[in-house]
Amino acid sequence: MEKLLHTPEGVRDIYNHECESKLQIESKLHEVMNRYGYQDIQTPTFEYFEVFSEERGTVSSKDMYKFFDRAGNTLVLRPDITPSIARCFAKYYKNEECPIRLCYGGSTFINNSEYQGKMKEVFQLGAELINDASVEADAELIALTIECMQEVGLKEFLVEIGHTGFYRALVEDACLDEEETEQLRLLIMNKNRFGVEALLTEKEMDQSLKEAFMTLPELFGNVSRLEEIKKITNTPKAVETIERLEEMYHLLEVYGYEKYVTFDLGTLSQYNYYTGMIFHAYTYGTGNPIVTGGRYDSLVKQFGKDAPAVGMAILTNQLQIAMSRQKTDIMMKKSRELILYKKAYFSKAVNFAQMKRYQGIDCMMCCMENTEDRAALQAYATRVGATCIRIFDQGDTMDTITEWETV
Amino acid sequence: MEKLLHTPEGVRDIYNHECESKLQIESKLHEVMNRYGYQDIQTPTFEYFEVFSEERGTVSSKDMYKFFDRAGNTLVLRPDITPSIARCFAKYYKNEECPIRLCYGGSTFINNSEYQGKMKEVFQLGAELINDASVEADAELIALTIECMQEVGLKEFLVEIGHTGFYRALVEDACLDEEETEQLRLLIMNKNRFGVEALLTEKEMDQSLKEAFMTLPELFGNVSRLEEIKKITNTPKAVETIERLEEMYHLLEVYGYEKYVTFDLGTLSQYNYYTGMIFHAYTYGTGNPIVTGGRYDSLVKQFGKDAPAVGMAILTNQLQIAMSRQKTDIMMKKSRELILYKKAYFSKAVNFAQMKRYQGIDCMMCCMENTEDRAALQAYATRVGATCIRIFDQGDTMDTITEWETV
C-alpha cells in the first residue's frame, strides 16, 4: 500500500489553494510574455537523448531520466527546454532571418541524487528571443523578467547579472585546459577565493591574470563597480564584455528598471551553452534563483541554423515559495456557491445553478437528504472553498431558498 | 543530424496558430470546469508503476513507458490520470465523506506500437466527482461535457452513453470466464455480431442470454430504445442499469441537454475500472471520441478509501482537429504591434511600446537599421502575427511615427 499512496521521490501532488494559486501566477506571467510579443510553443515531454547530450551543454547524462522506444533509441525526459526550442527554431524557422520570440511552459526532469530535498520535476515558464544578437535583446529579457516579477506583486527582488564571456576571455588568456576551466568555474561559483588561489599557485601565468581570477568571486556590486572591474584585466575581450554590460544597463535605465539590477562577474552558470550575458533573479523567502537566463549564441547552430539567441526561464515553484513566505498572494477570491438540495428540488436547484454559472459564478451542487446540521455543512463549505451556501429543501418559490454566507 | 532535428515517433511540437488556439481552447474548457465547482489538482508526470498496474484496469503494462529510479523502483510515465486522482483522494481526503470535485490538465503517455499514426503523448483535461454515488452526479458529468463542447463553439456533437453494468450482468449470468469475457468485449466493441455468434455457439447457456449478447452490438439509439432493451433480458441487474440510464436522461432534460444524448449498450471501455455509466462524445471531423468518461466506484477503494466516483476527460487534440475541420475557430484576434526602430530612437520606441503594453496590447520590438523594404517588413509582420507596424526612424516627435495596418 505504501507505494500505492506515495509519489516517487522528488515529485509531488499540488492541490487546493497551492494549485489554484500556481495556475493564477502562471497565467499572469504568461500574459506578460504575450504582451512582449512572445508566441506560444510546446515541445514533447521526452526527446531523443541527442537533443540534450553533452555537446549541448545542459546537464550531465547521468542526471537524465532515460528509457528506450520500441526501436531501441534512447529517449530522455527533457532536463531543460531551451535546447528543444533551439531544435524547433532550426527546424521550423530555417529561412527566418528576423527576430522570433517564443514562450512556453512545461516540466523539466533532473534525476539528481546529490542534493537531498531538491525536486526532480520542475515546472518552468520560459521566453526565448532568437535571431537577435543585439544588446537591446539582452535588455529586453531583463526587462521582461522584471515585469514578470512586478506582475505577480513582488516588490523586492534583484536581477544579478554576469557575463560568461568575461571568465572565458580570462581562461583563454591563461591557456587553461578543459578540466582546469571546469574546476576553476566551480570554485568561483562557490565564491571560494582560497580554492582559486590554491589551484592557480602551480600554474604559470601572468600575475595580473592570477589576480583577476582571484578577485572574480568578489566582483559584484552595482553598476559603479563595472568601471573598476574593467581595470583589473588587460584582456581586450574581457573588457568588451564589461562594456556591453554597461551599455545594457543604460538601456534598462530607459525602461526605468535599473534599480532592480546588480552585477556579479563571478556568476557562472551550470549550463555550458551560455555565451554572453547571464542572469539570475532573487528575492527574499528563497535562497534559490526564481529566474535564470542568458545569451546562447552557439546552441541553435548545433541544430543546423546559425542564430544568436537570448532567453530566460521562471522557476514558478521557487517564485511561489518566496511569494508565500512574503505573504504576497495574488489570488483573486472567486465567488463559489455550494448548492444543497433535496432530491425533490433537483430541477429548481439545477435551474438556479445554471443561472449563476451563466453569470460567471462557480456553483457546486450537492444532493443531501439531511441538511439539518448547519455546523457540518459550514465545515464542508469551507473545505471546498465555498463562499456561500444555498439550500433547496422546502416550498416551491425562489423565496424559500435558505442561504447564508460562509465567510 | 536526423535525430537532432526530429521528435521521437508519436510525439510532436505544437507552435504558431495551433499552439495559441490550443491554449485558448484549454482555458475555456478549464473555465467551465471551475464554473461547476471543480478545483484544480496536479499530479506528477511519472509515478510508481504500481499506481497503474493491471489491477487498476488502465492500460497493459507493455504499453507503458517504464524506467527506474536510483533505488531501482519501476517508474512509469502516467498512461492515464484518473488513477493518480484516485490515489490523491485516498491520501489527502481520507476522512472526507462529502462530494469533492477535482479537475486537472496534463499529458498521458502510451507506448502503443499497434496503431500507426496514433500519438503517444496525449494531452487531456479532466474532471472527477468523488464521494458521490448518485445518478445526479452521473448527469452532472454529462452536462459538464456538453457545456464544454458548447463553450468552444461546437454545435453538432453527440454524447453516446452506455453502461458497463449491463454487459457485466449478462456475463455474470452466463458464467463466462475472464478470457471469454475479454474476447467477447472486443468483439462487441468492434460491433462484430458474427464474431459474437461464433464465440457463443459452443457455450452452454440460455438461448435468451445468447440472443442478448448477439444483439448487444446493435443496442443503440435514442432514449426510446431503452424500453425495448429492457425487454431483451431477464437479468435483474441488467434491467436496473437501464432504469438508471432512463433516470439520468430525465435529469438531463432538466438541464435542457437531452438532445445531445444517445445510448449505446454495446459501448464498452478499454478501461476496466469503469463500473457504471460510461460515455464518449463525438462530433464530425474526427472518428475518435473527443471526450471519454464514466463511473468508477471501485478504483479509489484500491488506494485505501471506499469512495464512489464519476469522471470525464476531454482529449483536446481530437477536439482541436474536429474544430479545425469544422472551421470553428474560437481564437480571439489580438492586437499585436511590430515596433521597428533605428538604434538612435530606442528610447522613444521603448516608451511607446511600454505604454501600449500597459494598455494590454502586445508589442514586439525590433531594431532595424534598414527599414526601407516595405514588402519584406510586411512579410515579417505577417509571419509573427503582427496586426500593425510602427517605425521609429526619423524626427523627434510622436507625429513622425510611420505606421500602417498589416491586415
Side-chain angles (χ1 to χ4, degrees):
Chain A
M1 193 56 97
E2 180 70 359
K3 270 194 192 166
L4 266 183
L5 274 184
H6 289 101
T7 50
E9 202 213 311
V11 300
R12 68 191 186 101
D13 304 311
I14 303 170
Y15 56 105
N16 269 353
H17 180 86
E18 186 190 355
C19 193
E20 210 172 324
S21 165
K22 174 178 189 283
L23 292 175
Q24 287 196 20
I25 290 170
E26 285 167 18
S27 161
K28 275 181 179 284
L29 297 172
H30 182 232
E31 264 170 43
V32 182
M33 292 177 180
N34 283 167
R35 219 185 288 155
Y36 270 75
Y38 288 77
Q39 293 185 280
D40 298 296
I41 185 164
Q42 292 183 341
T43 58
T45 302
F46 57 79
E47 300 231 20
Y48 287 126
F49 170 71
E50 286 73 7
V51 173
F52 301 101
S53 59
E54 190 135 3
E55 311 93 281
R56 244 52 73 209
T58 57
V59 306
S60 116
S61 162
K62 70 175 172 19
D63 289 340
M64 289 189 241
Y65 286 100
K66 289 187 280 286
F67 48 102
F68 300 101
D69 67 11
R70 284 172 188 264
N73 298 298
T74 306
L75 306 174
V76 292
L77 293 184
R78 57 179 175 200
D80 185 7
I81 300 182
T82 303
S84 303
I85 305 297
R87 175 183 58 69
C88 285
F89 190 78
K91 187 171 177 183
Y92 307 115
Y93 295 85
K94 202 165 56 182
N95 302 313
E96 180 64 63
E97 296 305 326
C98 295
I100 291 293
R101 288 170 171 83
L102 299 172
C103 68
Y104 55 84
S107 285
T108 56
F109 304 86
I110 297 188
N111 189 7
N112 199 327
S113 70
E114 291 166 51
Y115 303 96
Q116 284 290 331
K118 215 169 176 178
M119 295 309 290
K120 293 171 194 285
E121 174 168 12
V122 174
F123 188 86
Q124 57 173 246
L125 272 167
E128 317 283 349
L129 172 45
I130 313 178
N131 259 351
D132 194 333
S134 71
V135 64
E136 286 81 5
D138 294 357
E140 176 173 310
L141 269 292
I142 304 283
L144 176 62
T145 298
I146 290 168
E147 237 162 279
C148 282
M149 300 301 98
Q150 290 177 329
E151 187 79 13
V152 295
L154 278 197
K155 302 238 169 350
E156 292 177 52
F157 58 89
L158 269 184
V159 183
E160 200 176 88
I161 304 171
H163 198 301
T164 58
F166 187 76
Y167 176 64
R168 287 193 189 185
L170 297 185
V171 160
E172 221 174 87
D173 230 22
C175 304
L176 296 180
D177 65 26
E178 220 170 288
E179 202 188 314
E180 291 163 335
T181 306
E182 180 61 14
Q183 271 179 15
L184 195 55
R185 189 177 68 83
L186 289 173
L187 291 167
I188 291 167
M189 276 178 79
N190 295 323
K191 302 214 176 288
N192 182 347
R193 191 192 161 113
F194 299 106
V196 175
E197 199 170 350
L199 189 99
L200 297 177
T201 316
E202 301 145 34
K203 291 292 298 180
E204 288 228 358
M205 65 174 84
D206 253 25
Q207 189 55 30
S208 73
L209 209 46
K210 281 192 187 177
E211 283 296 329
F213 278 120
M214 279 188 285
T215 37
L216 253 183
E218 289 148 23
L219 295 184
F220 56 89
N222 64 21
V223 67
S224 62
R225 280 214 72 187
L226 292 181
E227 200 51 45
E228 200 184 311
I229 291 167
K230 266 193 278 185
K231 289 181 194 137
I232 69 155
T233 171
N234 302 317
T235 310
K237 275 195 195 164
V239 173
E240 273 166 35
T241 63
I242 306 298
E243 282 166 354
R244 178 148 170 146
L245 290 182
E246 286 175 324
E247 194 183 352
M248 187 177 77
Y249 182 84
H250 296 309
L251 299 176
L252 286 168
E253 286 178 318
V254 175
Y255 282 95
Y257 291 156
E258 72 282 6
K259 68 172 172 183
Y260 297 109
V261 164
T262 178
F263 294 92
D264 184 351
L265 274 301
T267 286
L268 299 171
S269 173
Q270 57 160 324
Y271 292 150
N272 279 320
Y273 53 66
Y274 286 127
T275 54
M277 176 275 290
I278 56 171
F279 64 96
H280 297 95
Y282 293 96
T283 186
Y284 67 94
T286 170
N288 298 315
I290 49 179
V291 186
T292 69
R295 173 164 287 284
Y296 52 98
D297 286 346
S298 322
L299 182 62
V300 188
K301 188 162 53 185
Q302 295 185 33
F303 294 93
K305 160 128 184 129
D306 196 357
V310 56
M312 64 91 144
I314 305 173
L315 305 161
T316 51
N317 188 46
Q318 289 303 327
L319 174 59
Q320 209 178 351
I321 289 170
M323 285 172 67
S324 153
R325 291 192 184 145
Q326 294 182 19
K327 312 230 180 297
T328 309
D329 197 337
I330 59 142
M331 285 268 293
M332 299 205 302
K333 184 108 191 143
K334 280 171 90 178
S335 289
R336 188 180 280 149
E337 303 204 352
L338 176 59
I339 306 212
L340 305 168
Y341 62 94
K342 284 199 173 157
K343 218 171 160 81
Y345 296 86
F346 176 77
S347 300
K348 212 204 274 183
V350 163
N351 291 334
F352 182 83
Q354 292 294 80
M355 182 191 73
K356 283 282 175 181
R357 287 167 184 156
Y358 188 76
Q359 293 166 357
I361 292 165
D362 297 352
C363 282
M364 279 162 280
M365 292 187 60
C366 185
C367 180
M368 278 190 165
E369 286 314 303
N370 176 11
T371 56
E372 301 308 312
D373 185 347
R374 288 276 175 120
L377 293 178
Q378 175 79 43
Y380 173 46
T382 305
R383 291 199 300 278
V384 293
T387 51
C388 172
I389 296 178
R390 295 182 200 261
I391 303 179
F392 291 74
D393 65 351
Q394 56 178 324
D396 46 29
T397 68
M398 277 301 206
D399 304 335
T400 59
I401 304 167
T402 311
E403 68 176 80
W404 79 96
E405 303 290 321
T406 63
V407 282
Chain B
M1 194 54 96
E2 180 69 359
K3 272 195 192 166
L4 265 185
L5 274 184
H6 290 100
T7 51
E9 202 212 312
V11 300
R12 68 192 186 99
D13 304 310
I14 302 171
Y15 56 104
N16 269 353
H17 181 84
E18 185 190 356
C19 193
E20 210 173 325
S21 166
K22 175 178 190 282
L23 292 175
Q24 288 196 20
I25 290 170
E26 285 167 16
S27 161
K28 275 181 179 286
L29 297 172
H30 182 233
E31 265 171 44
V32 182
M33 292 177 180
N34 282 168
R35 220 185 286 154
Y36 271 75
Y38 289 77
Q39 293 185 279
D40 298 297
I41 186 164
Q42 292 183 343
T43 57
T45 302
F46 57 78
E47 300 231 20
Y48 286 126
F49 170 72
E50 286 73 8
V51 174
F52 301 101
S53 60
E54 190 134 4
E55 312 92 280
R56 244 53 73 210
T58 57
V59 307
S60 115
S61 162
K62 69 175 172 21
D63 289 340
M64 288 188 241
Y65 286 101
K66 289 187 280 289
F67 48 102
F68 300 102
D69 67 11
R70 285 172 188 264
N73 298 298
T74 307
L75 306 175
V76 292
L77 293 184
R78 58 179 175 201
D80 185 6
I81 301 181
T82 303
S84 303
I85 304 298
R87 174 183 58 69
C88 285
F89 190 78
K91 187 171 178 184
Y92 307 115
Y93 295 86
K94 203 165 55 182
N95 301 312
E96 179 64 64
E97 296 305 326
C98 295
I100 291 293
R101 289 169 171 83
L102 299 172
C103 67
Y104 55 84
S107 285
T108 56
F109 304 86
I110 297 188
N111 190 5
N112 200 327
S113 70
E114 291 166 49
Y115 303 96
Q116 284 289 330
K118 214 169 176 178
M119 294 310 289
K120 293 172 195 282
E121 173 169 12
V122 174
F123 188 86
Q124 58 173 246
L125 271 167
E128 317 283 349
L129 172 45
I130 313 179
N131 260 351
D132 195 332
S134 72
V135 64
E136 285 81 5
D138 294 359
E140 175 172 310
L141 269 292
I142 305 283
L144 176 62
T145 298
I146 290 168
E147 237 162 279
C148 282
M149 300 301 98
Q150 290 177 331
E151 187 79 13
V152 296
L154 279 197
K155 301 238 169 352
E156 293 177 51
F157 58 89
L158 269 184
V159 183
E160 200 176 270
I161 304 171
H163 198 301
T164 57
F166 187 76
Y167 176 66
R168 287 193 189 184
L170 298 183
V171 160
E172 221 175 85
D173 229 22
C175 303
L176 297 179
D177 65 24
E178 220 170 289
E179 202 189 314
E180 292 162 335
T181 307
E182 181 60 16
Q183 270 179 16
L184 195 55
R185 189 177 69 83
L186 289 173
L187 290 167
I188 292 166
M189 276 179 79
N190 295 323
K191 302 216 175 288
N192 182 347
R193 192 193 159 110
F194 300 106
V196 175
E197 198 169 351
L199 189 99
L200 295 177
T201 317
E202 301 146 33
K203 291 292 299 179
E204 290 227 358
M205 66 173 84
D206 254 26
Q207 189 55 31
S208 75
L209 209 46
K210 280 193 186 177
E211 283 296 330
F213 278 120
M214 279 188 286
T215 37
L216 254 183
E218 289 149 22
L219 296 184
F220 56 89
N222 64 22
V223 67
S224 62
R225 281 214 71 189
L226 292 182
E227 200 50 46
E228 200 184 310
I229 291 168
K230 266 194 277 185
K231 289 183 193 134
I232 69 156
T233 171
N234 302 316
T235 309
K237 274 195 194 163
V239 173
E240 272 166 36
T241 62
I242 306 297
E243 282 165 354
R244 178 148 171 147
L245 290 182
E246 285 175 325
E247 194 184 350
M248 186 177 78
Y249 183 83
H250 295 309
L251 298 177
L252 286 168
E253 284 177 320
V254 174
Y255 282 96
Y257 291 157
E258 72 281 6
K259 68 171 173 184
Y260 297 109
V261 163
T262 179
F263 293 94
D264 185 352
L265 274 302
T267 285
L268 299 171
S269 173
Q270 56 160 324
Y271 292 149
N272 279 320
Y273 54 65
Y274 286 127
T275 55
M277 175 275 288
I278 55 171
F279 64 96
H280 297 95
Y282 293 96
T283 186
Y284 66 93
T286 171
N288 297 316
I290 49 178
V291 186
T292 69
R295 175 165 285 284
Y296 52 99
D297 286 346
S298 321
L299 182 62
V300 188
K301 188 162 50 185
Q302 296 184 32
F303 294 93
K305 159 127 185 130
D306 197 357
V310 56
M312 64 90 142
I314 304 173
L315 305 161
T316 51
N317 188 45
Q318 289 302 327
L319 174 61
Q320 209 179 352
I321 289 170
M323 286 173 66
S324 153
R325 292 193 184 143
Q326 294 182 20
K327 312 229 181 297
T328 309
D329 196 337
I330 59 142
M331 285 268 292
M332 298 204 305
K333 184 106 191 146
K334 280 171 88 178
S335 289
R336 187 180 280 148
E337 303 204 351
L338 176 59
I339 306 212
L340 305 168
Y341 61 93
K342 285 200 172 155
K343 218 170 161 82
Y345 296 87
F346 176 77
S347 300
K348 213 202 275 182
V350 163
N351 290 334
F352 182 83
Q354 291 295 78
M355 181 191 73
K356 283 281 174 181
R357 287 168 184 155
Y358 188 76
Q359 293 166 359
I361 293 167
D362 297 351
C363 282
M364 278 162 281
M365 291 187 60
C366 185
C367 180
M368 278 190 166
E369 285 314 303
N370 175 10
T371 55
E372 301 307 314
D373 185 347
R374 288 275 175 122
L377 292 179
Q378 176 80 43
Y380 172 47
T382 305
R383 292 199 301 279
V384 293
T387 52
C388 172
I389 296 178
R390 295 183 200 261
I391 302 179
F392 291 73
D393 65 351
Q394 56 178 324
D396 46 29
T397 69
M398 277 300 207
D399 304 334
T400 59
I401 304 167
T402 311
E403 69 175 81
W404 77 97
E405 304 290 320
T406 63
V407 283

